[in-house]
Amino acid sequence: MTEDLESTLDTPDDIQYGEDAIRTLDWKEHIRRRPGMYIGKLGDGTNSDDGIYVLLKEVLDNSIDEYMMGFGRQIVVDVTETTVTVRDFGRGIPLGKVVEVAAKMNTGGKYDSKAFKKSVGLNGVGLKAANALSECFIISSFRDGQMKRAVFVKGEVTEETPVTECDEPNGTFVQFTPDNSIFVDYRYREDLILPLLKNYTVLNTGLTIVFNGKKFVSRNGLLDLLKENMTNDPLYAPIYLKGEDIEIAFTHTSQYGEEYYSFVNGQHTTQGGTHLTAFKDAFGRTLKDYYGKSFEYIDTRNGIVAAIAIKVEEPVFESQTKTRLGSRDIGPDGPTVAKFIGDFVKRELDNYLHKNLDIANAILKKIQENERDRKSMAGVTKQAREKAKKLAINNRKLLDCRVHLSDTKGDSEKRMASSIFITEGDSAAGSITKIRNVETQAVFSLRGKPLNTYGMPLGEVYKNDEFALLRAALNIEDSIDDLRYNNVIIATDADVDGMHIRLLLLTYFLQFCPELVKMGHVYVLQTPLFRVRNKKTSKRQGGARNKSKGIPEDTYYCYSDEERVAAINKLGTNAEITRFKGLGEISPEEFRDFIGPDMRVDKVTLRRDDGVARLLEFYMGKNTSERQNFIIENLVIEDDSQIS
């Protein structure tokens, strides 16, 4: 046995580990080989955290830093589907350092805290990442009637002009086109850029951003952000507190859960961090002290919608994408983040409540309502949890993965990729289960159609087996902060029943977990409606294999009637069309690409203008006859003559 083991460990002749195997990559090659280390996931522009938006943000951050230092009140941003142009009117890069700033690691003007005391990007990596990952990158600096320009291709300088005279106002111009070989088939989407730009304006009152010719400016800071994002009416006028290096706005609504927007030096920390934790603790503690009651912290915060922005000297983030603050201190000589925020909230909120007794009474009423609801739910919740545990053990509805969002350690990229597919029935779950990535993809199988939760009290929803199990699987019974998976993906059949189940699940999430939706965790999986293939090649042994997709050539998976017709036109009379009515009809091998890195998903969004309450009442309420008449009046019968 020893000999057999040793033979399996012999180094193959073509894999030698000698001195020649040790390499040193230059800066641009390292970024291009390991882009995830610098910008997180790549993506194609479908989601707001895809890499192309990180590149845009990295370039914009430099312009924002100039504004924060008091230079340049306007930034012009123009974005086509493939190219970004940013022109600010700050001081401009020192002309002799334009090339180095864009193409030499560990080079920047933010290492000296006197020049950029509370900047977002301190290491100068972001601009270099945008340069290295672009097929074309142009940078120009204008200073005191002179300019310098450099052009790069994939990080390699191809053109460098000498310093020349110009009549341009001071500032910096950057234009880049992300490399399509890295960001495959990408496209910038305006609706995903707008929230980013609006956040910049509310965090920098008075700054004007001109985006594709349209001006955006905020006069009320974080109050404008709350107004933009609240989907329920506030129970009292939002409270706004501002001090040196800190700004807070909040109110309560009738919605369930807690909703937060946190920022550090203008960076949207979507995963919170030390500053958000400090605010939540200080908020609950201040209200307990003010009212002289031993309230539970959760009762003071249920229904809250809050935004907090602070400035930290030399902030420490947990990754290059800066989504979570790790700093313990405000600065080298300052207090801890917890003390800084705690002292501010205690002083300012306590003073505000003493001066505004009507709002203080409204908050007290909300806290007392939360307390009554929690106590009345205590027994139901305990029973639901115990029942969920028993059902989970007996039915094993959840097939878990190995890496979770809630893991405190481990690969951050895998944590962000952690997903749970909510499927209908065992057949659909079986196809996904056989080819899923067990590291990051979990599967939860529903049993039949879930309950219509519209208008139901939360206590009744807890009693339902399916939703009790789902809440336990997601690990959100106590707090959204404990969410187990970054991506909650509804994967139902592409038929009427599947659509109904999808709507029932969305009704639940929108009513009882709106913060899950607003934080961008909920998606709907797109699966193909049709397979169109060449019936001649399909009769052979799988046909010739398409190396990039692992499926036979002359096979097209179509997600719409338009794609189906296009595929039929390509194949002509040899077209063989299969209509997929259920996920269980799709073989595991075919399913591999549908839930792989290139899977198609639609993010579920929730905005104030959506009128969700009215939509849910109409489509999920008890007005059956009204809905029936609406369907009859809007029925469209399509010609399916081409389906064979």
Side-chain angles (χ1 to χ4, degrees):
M1 180 171 290
T2 302
E3 291 180 354
D4 290 340
L5 178 60
E6 289 176 348
S7 66
T8 64
L9 296 178
D10 287 343
T11 303
D13 293 337
D14 59 343
I15 303 178
Q16 297 297 327
Y17 183 58
E19 293 182 3
D20 292 341
I22 306 299
R23 292 187 56 198
T24 300
L25 302 179
D26 73 0
W27 69 275
K28 57 184 177 298
E29 187 177 2
H30 190 272
I31 294 174
R32 291 179 64 82
R33 286 192 173 210
R34 300 287 187 270
M37 291 178 59
Y38 299 89
I39 62 169
K41 70 173 186 174
L42 297 178
D44 61 1
T46 304
N47 301 305
S48 59
D49 57 349
D50 285 350
I52 60 171
Y53 300 111
V54 177
L55 299 185
L56 165 61
K57 187 189 166 307
E58 292 287 3
V59 173
L60 267 172
D61 281 345
N62 294 310
S63 299
I64 296 298
D65 286 338
E66 280 293 292
Y67 174 81
M68 291 173 61
M69 294 294 294
F71 302 95
R73 298 182 63 81
Q74 179 173 286
I75 302 171
V76 179
V77 181
D78 291 300
V79 183
T80 68
E81 288 192 348
T82 58
T83 301
V84 171
T85 304
V86 177
R87 170 67 158 101
D88 69 38
F89 299 91
R91 292 166 293 181
I93 302 166
L95 301 182
K97 297 292 185 180
V98 170
V99 174
E100 291 184 27
V101 164
K104 190 173 183 180
M105 294 297 276
N106 305 318
T107 301
K110 303 175 185 177
Y111 297 103
D112 182 358
S113 61
K114 294 178 181 178
F116 283 90
K117 186 178 180 182
K118 298 179 175 69
S119 171
V120 176
L122 293 174
N123 300 315
V125 174
L127 197 66
K128 283 82 168 177
N131 184 0
L133 298 175
S134 294
E135 61 185 52
C136 182
F137 182 93
I138 302 172
I139 183 168
S140 300
S141 178
F142 311 96
R143 283 174 71 103
D144 304 324
Q146 294 184 312
M147 70 166 289
K148 170 84 172 180
R149 179 176 184 267
V151 180
F152 301 82
V153 173
K154 300 177 181 179
E156 192 73 43
V157 63
T158 59
E159 179 184 340
E160 181 181 353
T161 64
V163 175
T164 59
E165 301 295 320
C166 73
D167 57 3
E168 286 276 342
N170 286 359
T172 303
F173 170 96
V174 174
Q175 183 177 85
F176 66 92
T177 301
D179 189 344
N180 193 63
S181 67
I182 295 175
F183 306 96
V184 180
D185 296 330
Y186 75 89
R187 177 172 69 86
Y188 278 104
R189 289 162 171 79
E190 189 171 298
D191 62 315
L192 298 182
I193 297 174
L194 278 174
L196 171 67
L197 301 184
K198 288 180 178 178
N199 282 347
Y200 276 124
T201 60
V202 300
L203 294 169
N204 299 276
T205 306
L207 169 67
T208 297
I209 294 181
V210 181
F211 175 50
N212 287 352
K214 187 175 180 180
K215 289 186 177 182
F216 296 90
V217 63
S218 172
R219 302 299 180 195
N220 303 301
L222 293 184
L223 287 175
D224 288 336
L225 184 143
L226 289 193
K227 183 179 179 181
E228 177 81 18
N229 288 281
M230 278 193 303
T231 53
N232 293 71
D233 292 333
L235 298 179
Y236 53 88
I239 296 174
Y240 179 68
L241 306 172
K242 184 177 176 64
E244 184 177 356
D245 293 338
I246 186 169
E247 184 179 359
I248 293 171
F250 69 88
T251 186
H252 283 84
T253 73
S254 57
Q255 73 183 34
Y256 291 97
E258 305 169 36
E259 183 178 335
Y260 299 100
Y261 302 89
S262 64
F263 304 86
V264 176
N265 297 6
Q267 165 67 35
H268 188 187
T269 45
T270 54
Q271 294 186 50
T274 53
H275 58 318
L276 182 55
T277 300
F279 168 73
K280 292 161 83 171
D281 289 344
F283 182 80
R285 186 168 57 251
T286 299
L287 292 184
K288 286 178 64 174
D289 291 345
Y290 174 80
Y291 295 111
K293 304 284 187 179
S294 57
F295 292 131
E296 296 286 342
Y297 280 12
I298 192 172
D299 294 331
T300 66
R301 299 194 306 253
N302 187 32
I304 194 174
V305 181
I308 174 172
I310 67 170
K311 294 180 181 178
V312 175
E313 190 172 339
E314 299 183 358
V316 176
F317 296 98
E318 293 191 1
S319 68
Q320 171 60 23
T321 52
K322 308 181 184 81
T323 55
R324 185 178 181 87
L325 180 68
S327 295
R328 298 295 174 186
D329 301 313
I330 288 294
D333 302 318
T336 64
V337 169
K339 179 171 175 52
F340 174 71
I341 294 176
D343 289 349
F344 175 81
V345 172
K346 169 65 177 175
R347 179 180 65 253
E348 298 299 326
L349 179 55
D350 187 79
N351 289 342
Y352 186 94
L353 295 176
H354 276 98
K355 295 176 182 178
N356 298 271
L357 297 180
D358 55 337
I359 290 182
N361 289 332
I363 294 176
L364 177 60
K365 181 180 178 182
K366 174 60 177 172
I367 295 173
Q368 291 171 335
E369 289 177 355
N370 289 339
E371 186 177 47
R372 285 195 297 270
D373 290 344
R374 177 179 56 80
K375 289 181 177 179
S376 66
M377 282 282 295
V380 176
T381 303
K382 183 178 179 180
Q383 293 174 9
R385 285 179 176 171
E386 291 175 352
K387 190 173 184 180
K389 288 180 181 179
K390 292 178 181 178
L391 289 170
I393 292 172
N394 294 331
N395 295 348
R396 301 186 63 83
K397 295 172 69 65
L398 173 66
L399 293 171
D400 207 356
C401 56
R402 294 171 183 158
V403 180
H404 306 100
L405 179 65
S406 54
D407 293 342
T408 56
K409 297 181 180 179
D411 190 322
S412 61
E413 192 170 344
K414 286 185 177 181
R415 287 168 54 195
M416 296 305 292
S418 61
S419 306
I420 182 169
F421 293 94
I422 305 175
T423 67
E424 49 174 310
D426 294 334
S427 60
S431 294
I432 295 178
T433 299
K434 290 176 182 177
I435 46 82
R436 69 186 175 117
N437 182 337
V438 295
E439 286 290 308
T440 60
Q441 294 178 329
V443 182
F444 180 88
S445 176
L446 293 167
R447 184 180 67 248
K449 288 186 178 180
L451 187 70
N452 181 359
T453 60
Y454 177 73
M456 294 182 62
L458 184 58
E460 290 300 311
V461 177
Y462 261 111
K463 294 177 182 178
N464 179 262
D465 291 350
E466 295 298 301
F467 285 116
L469 284 166
L470 180 58
R471 289 181 71 89
L474 297 178
N475 200 37
I476 56 172
E477 297 154 303
D478 295 323
S479 171
I480 189 68
D481 294 339
D482 301 326
L483 179 65
R484 195 168 172 80
Y485 312 94
N486 189 45
N487 308 303
V488 180
I489 304 172
I490 300 172
T492 57
D493 290 345
D495 58 11
V496 174
D497 284 339
M499 180 66 73
H500 190 202
I501 292 172
R502 180 189 303 177
L503 292 176
L504 291 168
L505 288 170
L506 289 176
T507 299
Y508 167 74
F509 285 125
L510 291 171
Q511 279 202 122
F512 300 106
C513 310
E515 67 272 37
L516 265 184
V517 177
K518 289 188 177 183
M519 293 173 67
H521 291 297
V522 181
Y523 298 84
V524 173
L525 177 68
Q526 292 187 34
T527 51
L529 299 172
F530 307 96
R531 179 184 62 210
V532 181
R533 62 183 178 181
N534 189 321
K535 57 188 174 185
K536 289 186 177 180
T537 59
S538 66
K539 291 179 181 178
R540 298 196 292 269
Q541 187 66 28
R545 304 299 288 181
N546 181 312
K547 293 182 180 179
S548 64
K549 290 293 183 181
I551 56 178
E553 292 180 354
D554 290 344
T555 298
Y556 302 93
Y557 293 95
C558 308
Y559 293 77
S560 66
D561 281 328
E562 289 77 14
E563 292 184 15
R564 170 179 60 85
V565 172
I568 291 172
N569 290 336
K570 288 180 181 179
L571 297 177
T573 58
N574 291 325
E576 176 187 77
I577 304 104
T578 301
R579 170 69 163 95
F580 292 126
K581 294 183 179 180
L583 302 184
E585 297 177 1
I586 304 176
S587 68
E589 188 59 36
E590 288 178 299
F591 226 119
R592 188 179 305 278
D593 293 310
F594 306 148
I595 65 167
D598 298 324
M599 69 176 168
R600 297 194 193 183
V601 291
D602 292 321
K603 178 179 286 187
V604 181
T605 60
L606 181 57
R607 301 184 180 92
R608 188 174 186 84
D609 295 337
D610 292 336
V612 170
R614 179 179 56 82
L615 289 173
L616 288 177
E617 182 180 9
F618 180 81
Y619 289 107
M620 307 306 293
K622 300 183 182 299
N623 53 329
T624 307
S625 60
E626 188 179 356
R627 277 199 306 273
Q628 187 178 40
N629 292 334
F630 174 82
I631 294 171
I632 294 172
E633 292 170 2
N634 292 274
L635 183 64
V636 176
I637 300 177
E638 296 184 355
D639 180 14
D640 289 333
S641 58
Q642 295 193 65
I643 301 179
S644 59

